[in-house]
Each structure stands twice: as structure tokens, then as C-alpha cells.
């Protein structure tokens, strides 16, 4: 999966296996920026109807990031894209988790033969968000 900016159209493309599948227009963001400088992942699925509760939807594959790349959902070649369109090692060393029992991200390092960082992510999500991580 990748996200890259088209400077001519001022949109951010989302791609899977090098095929563009959709985009965010520049006006989707409240600040114009030429490159990604801060990456966030995570979320929470909540039924916002009156009396609604967290759903049972997991994040990633449902395993917590602390389970590592053998069990948790994993990004194996995490790279940044600079304003010139060049890939660079954007270290995932500033992870912040607001609800550790719900989801998280864990930088793992490098794997031989792969270009970027390995990052595990995920968690049980939903109604189990208050459970402590491993």
C-alpha cells in the first residue's frame, strides 16, 4: 500500500500493489503540505446512534502490536515520500498510543531484502478497548 502526491492535480493517491485505487483532494486537509511529515494510524469503531456502543470490529487482524510481526498485522516496507517524490526512511520511532488496549503500533526494525522499516500494528478494538496489552 502506498500514498503519494500528484503535484499537477494537487491530490494524494492511495495505491495497492502499485495500482491507484482512490485519492484525497488537497482540500480534504486543513493545511497544505508538500510531503508527509507525520503519519498516524489507528482508529475506533463506534456506533454513534443513541445508546450506541463500541462495535466488535478489530484493528488490523485483531492481535495487538506487542505480539510482533509473526502474529500482529504488519507493514513490511514502511517508507516516507519526500516533496520530490523520492522514497526515504521515515523512522517510525515516535509512536504514540492513546488507547493501548484498543490498538497500537510497534516499530520492529529492518528485515533483510526489504527497503523500509517493519512496523506491527493492530489490536482487539471495539468493546475490548479497556483490556491491557501484553
Amino acid at each position: 500500500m502506498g500514498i503519494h502526491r500528484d503535484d499537477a492535480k494537487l491530490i494524494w493517491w492511495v495505491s495497492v500493489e502499485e495500482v491507484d485505487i482512490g485519492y484525497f483532494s488537497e482540500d480534504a486537509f486543513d493545511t497544505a503540505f508538500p510531503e508527509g511529515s507525520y503519519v498516524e494510524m489507528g482508529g475506533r469503531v463506534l456506533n454513534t446512534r443513541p445508546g450506541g456502543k463500541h462495535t466488535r470490529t478489530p484493528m488490523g487482524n485483531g492481535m495487538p502490536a506487542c505480539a510482533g510481526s509473526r502474529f500482529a498485522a504488519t507493514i513490511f516496507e514502511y517508507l516516507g515520500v519526500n516533496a520530490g517524490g523520492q522514497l526515504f526512511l521515515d523512522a517510525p520511532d515516535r509512536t504514540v498510543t492513546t488507547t493501548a488496549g484498543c490498538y497500537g503500533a510497534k516499530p520492529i526494525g529492518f528485515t533483510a531484502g526489504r527497503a523500509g522499516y517493519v512496523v506491527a500494528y493492530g489490536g482487539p478494538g471495539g468493546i475490548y478497548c479497556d483490556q491491557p496489552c501484553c
Side-chain angles (χ1 to χ4, degrees), residues 8-76:
K9 296 180 181 176
L10 299 178
I11 56 178
W12 287 86
W13 283 100
V14 177
S15 59
V16 174
E17 295 185 11
E18 307 292 329
V19 176
D20 293 334
I21 61 168
Y23 65 87
F24 294 100
S25 63
E26 192 82 359
D27 61 359
F29 307 99
D30 58 3
T31 304
F33 50 91
E35 63 186 17
S37 58
Y38 186 78
V39 178
E40 295 182 13
M41 68 174 79
R44 184 174 275 183
V45 181
L46 176 67
N47 174 353
T48 59
R49 290 179 276 186
K53 298 186 177 176
H54 291 287
T55 69
R56 295 181 183 270
T57 306
M59 305 297 171
N61 65 1
M63 294 296 293
C66 56
S69 63
R70 285 190 60 204
F71 302 104
T74 305
I75 299 168
F76 282 99

